[in-house]
């Protein structure tokens, strides 16, 4: 053996170090299966929440939207519509590529985008002292960040080949 280079397996025992197992082997463990299910539930929730809010921001009149959310009346209409389009695109990107197993690499990036949007939302609500609006934004941001981390680092999805 070369000094400073670790061996992947011990030839005398034919055992492989658990930390060096390929992801395919780790995905079979019950813990990874449970984490995968939790991530799918979170992705579905993000799809429904951001999809609904994106459609609302794209289609509802601004005065009705401002009565529900307060902030749309204080910003230009094009900003509200742009945020709605971004939320709808993020919702589709978090769920559809993973569900179709096509271009599944998009999923963690879409989740990162949604988490970034929620960081901006939290900053805006803090700036205007809108405490009640912080909780949903923080919760959605944390869920989106967890999905981004989970699908990028822990349980990535393979696309169709």
């Amino acid at each position: 053996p070369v000094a400073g280079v670790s061996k992947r397996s011990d030839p005398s025992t034919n055992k492989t170090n658990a930390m060096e197992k390929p992801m395919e082997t780790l995905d079979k463990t019950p813990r990874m299966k449970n984490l995968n299910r939790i991530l799918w539930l979170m992705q579905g929730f993000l799809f429904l929440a951001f999809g609904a809010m994106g459609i609302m921001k794209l289609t509802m009149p601004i005065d009705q939207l401002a009565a529900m959310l307060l902030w749309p009346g204080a910003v230009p209409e094009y900003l509200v519509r742009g945020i709605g389009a971004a939320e709808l695109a993020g919702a589709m990107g978090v769920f559809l590529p993973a569900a179709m197993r096509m271009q599944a690499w998009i999923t963690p990036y879409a989740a990162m985008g949604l988490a970034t949007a929620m960081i901006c939302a939290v900053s805006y609500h803090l700036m205007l002292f809108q405490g009640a609006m912080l909780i949903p934004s923080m919760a959605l941001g944390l869920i989106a960040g967890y999905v981004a981390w989970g699908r990028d680092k822990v349980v990535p999805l393979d696309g169709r080949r």
Side-chain angles (χ1 to χ4, degrees), residues 16-95:
T16 305
N17 185 349
M19 293 301 293
E20 296 175 354
K21 288 184 181 177
M23 186 58 83
E24 305 85 48
T25 308
L26 290 175
D27 282 346
K28 305 286 190 236
T29 65
R31 183 173 181 209
M32 287 298 134
K33 286 182 182 179
N34 288 337
L35 182 57
N36 189 42
R37 286 185 192 112
I38 290 168
L39 286 169
W40 272 111
L41 288 171
M42 289 179 166
Q43 285 172 250
F45 175 74
L46 291 174
F47 177 71
L48 294 174
F50 280 103
M53 291 305 294
I55 289 171
M56 284 175 46
K57 289 173 188 163
L58 284 172
T59 60
M60 284 181 71
I62 295 296
D63 56 340
Q64 289 179 359
L65 205 52
M68 289 175 49
L69 301 175
L70 301 176
W71 67 267
V75 297
E77 182 178 356
Y78 66 85
L79 181 62
V80 176
R81 305 298 184 203
I83 290 171
E87 287 179 351
L88 186 58
M92 290 188 296
V94 155
F95 190 76

Side-chain angles (χ1 to χ4, degrees), residues 12-13 16 22 28 32 40 62 81 112 126-127 131 135 144 152 156 160:
S12 63
T13 61
T16 305
K28 305 286 190 236
M32 287 298 134
W40 272 111
I62 295 296
R81 305 298 184 203
M112 286 179 217
L126 279 173
M127 184 178 67
I135 295 169
D152 189 45
R160 290 185 185 161

Side-chain angles (χ1 to χ4, degrees), residues 94-117:
V94 155
F95 190 76
L96 295 178
M100 300 295 185
R101 299 283 182 168
M102 298 175 75
Q103 305 296 325
W105 59 269
I106 293 172
T107 298
Y109 292 107
M112 286 179 217
L114 292 175
T116 302

